[in-house]
Amino acid sequence: MTQPLHPPSEKLNLSTKIAFGAGDIGPALTANVLVFFLLYFFTQVAGLPPGLAGSILMIGKISDAINDPIVGVLSDRTRHPWGRRLPWMLGGIVPFVFVFFGQWLVPQLSEIDQVNDWFLFGYYIVMGILFNLAYTAVNLPYAALTPELTQDYHERTSLNSFRFSFSIGSSIFSLIVARLIFQAYPDDPLKQYSLLGLVCSVFAGLALLWCTLRLQEKGRSPILNPRQRQRLGQGLWGMAGVSGLAGLGLLQGPILWPFLFISGALLLAVAGWTFVRSVPEPHLTVPLAEQTDLAAPIPFREQLKIAFSNKPFLFVIGIYLASWLAIQLTASILPYFVINWMGLPDAMFPNVALAVQGTALVLLFVASALSQHLGKKTVYFGGVFLWIIAQVGLFFLQPGQIGLMFACAILAGCGVSVSYLIPWSMVPDVIELDELTTGQRREGVFYGFMVLLQKIGLAISLFLVGQALAWAGFVESIPGQAPPVQPDSALLAIRFAIAPLPTITLIIGLVLAYFYPITQQYHEEIRLKLAERRVDQA
């Protein structure tokens, strides 16, 4: 018998890719707002000392060290007609939305400032732990959906391109909303951040609901049948029309509200199109093999052992952690750099962040196309090299050099795009190598550690920034008073955190990427062997 040269293709419809990509709007929107604004919100709006603020974020993320792998294992063991991932996503949407909004409130629990600081410390710790639980319940199963939808090597890269296009696009959206809110309510920081939290919560909830109701896991029943999808899509079009008309009717007032209503109309219209144009994909309707459903679950410790004995996975998590830590370090210190070092107004900070995220969005599909011709590692090397140049340039920037600041932001966006795309497109390859070795698919375990590392990177970066500012003598704002003048030691700490630290982590990521062993040819060999095994089992 002649072996096929390539494994069978598993192409996805455009409407499926768009709906899948929309699933990352909620996690990306909220994560972007948290990393850019939460530490600044704690110190400059809630009035907490920077060391205390950084500790809040660190404690919240430590809780994820427990719940992320556990949710991953539970998701792998879930048996439901809708599949293993979608039930978790649907059940986590409501707590995800409400707890995120609660993080942007500043309750006044005592008239004594020091006592109130400790009350706020406890309140934000509780909110942080609850939000991380809800975030895990939604985002981890969503991340594990990629191998549930297709096993095609290039199709997975394409799918992740849609995912991170929506991810970066929603990040840009959050920055635009922040800028418009800051302009509309310049003298009311409490209202600024509570409104920002409310808007992001609404859009995150709508996008997650859209993705969950539209997708279908391989070999499982869809949540909505074709007739229900058609009706829902038509209903969403009607709601989009109402929202769009409302936005046009508000054009005479502040631009914030027309922007929000028209953006909501666009979201609803595209969501409606994906429901109306949904067509069953043949490979998703094929029933799963009995072994996949009935295999005895491996104990949790054994799963950890298998995951970390997978050498390519160790490279992937190292590459991802190094890249993500650089992103989070830069993002968390950026508002302090723009406002305190460059001496620019608060409303200018979202423009700098937009330059980074906008460049990353434009280059995401370019990076995806280049990776098919040049390979994933080559594209990663090129983007990160440009990013390192940008980070070094930021250290030498002086107040008044605004043009150079934006040039560095654009260069950094080149590296951010490949750091979003490449590590995540490597994970499914690692999962299939594990399946070839063990005979079982455990996407939840691997994606659980990826999401955990994402949060650890955020926690470490925010904790380091908070502690560095505290050690350097950074003076937090007092609510209702003018921002204080910062000492030279605090300004030097800000410059150090935005340049040398991220550069070191990026260099580590480059070294690990150089030794990553799975190439496209090796991955096709893995898929062929898996296909042969399934034929033998059948």
Side-chain angles (χ1 to χ4, degrees), residues 103-182:
Q103 293 183 104
W104 302 99
L105 303 178
V106 186
Q108 188 69 28
L109 302 172
S110 174
E111 297 295 331
I112 304 174
D113 290 341
Q114 291 182 340
V115 175
N116 194 63
D117 284 350
W118 285 105
F119 276 126
L120 289 176
F121 178 76
Y123 170 79
Y124 289 128
I125 284 178
V126 172
M127 288 292 104
I129 292 174
L130 292 177
F131 177 72
N132 288 325
L133 286 169
Y135 187 96
T136 300
V138 168
N139 191 51
L140 194 153
Y142 167 75
L145 272 175
T146 303
E148 303 277 6
L149 296 175
T150 180
Q151 294 183 348
D152 186 276
Y153 184 84
H154 293 305
E155 197 72 357
R156 284 174 172 174
T157 304
S158 173
L159 199 61
N160 278 298
S161 297
F162 278 86
R163 173 188 175 183
F164 291 115
S165 295
F166 276 94
S167 175
I168 298 175
S170 60
S171 299
I172 293 173
F173 173 78
S174 69
L175 295 171
I176 295 174
V177 170
R179 177 172 175 78
L180 294 178
I181 291 176
F182 294 166

Side-chain angles (χ1 to χ4, degrees), residues 22-37:
D24 212 27
I25 291 178
L29 189 68
T30 54
N32 191 67
V33 172
L34 290 173
V35 71
F36 276 120
F37 296 104

